[in-house]
Amino acid sequence: MSDLKKEAKSMHKAASGMRGVGHHTAKPLQEFRAQSHDLGALGALGSLMSATEEIREGMTTLAKLTRQLDEEWEAEAKLIGEVSDAFDLLDVLIAAAAQAKRG
């Protein structure tokens, strides 16, 4: 197996893994968002400190950042997949050129 073929296979595997991240984080992220609307666990302490709204805003910000990170990983996975495909094609072209030289 050529080096390009090995690199392409490795990159394809990495891209597949990155695409799966969103599937693993979707449920915990949904639960986290739901909890930002129910901050009863803070009890009187949260009310006394007037921190409830700030905590809610912070949790919303974290959820948005997590979603953006998932989107970024998806875009990177797509790019890695495209590079992997290019390596596969280049490997085929190099092999064909070598075969043509041998004649």
Side-chain angles (χ1 to χ4, degrees):
M1 182 181 283
S2 73
D3 287 342
L4 282 175
K5 193 72 169 172
K6 288 177 187 175
E7 284 296 319
K9 186 176 180 179
S10 175
M11 292 175 88
H12 178 72
K13 185 177 179 180
S16 293
M18 288 178 76
R19 282 187 198 100
V21 169
H23 299 294
H24 298 292
T25 60
K27 186 176 179 183
L29 184 57
Q30 181 184 21
E31 291 171 358
F32 185 79
R33 281 189 194 131
Q35 290 301 315
S36 72
H37 298 292
D38 180 23
L39 298 176
L42 294 174
L45 179 61
S47 298
L48 290 174
M49 295 174 54
S50 302
T52 304
E53 189 58 34
E54 283 129 4
I55 291 170
R56 184 175 289 117
E57 287 175 15
M59 291 176 77
T60 300
T61 300
L62 285 172
K64 286 178 184 177
L65 290 172
T66 301
R67 189 182 74 244
Q68 289 172 349
L69 187 56
D70 283 344
E71 291 170 1
E72 183 177 329
W73 283 341
E74 183 65 33
E76 287 181 22
K78 182 180 178 195
L79 177 62
I80 290 171
E82 290 170 356
V83 171
S84 172
D85 292 345
F87 279 4
D88 280 336
L89 179 59
L90 184 58
D91 188 55
V92 168
L93 293 173
I94 289 171
Q99 183 69 22
K101 277 186 178 180
R102 286 186 228 131

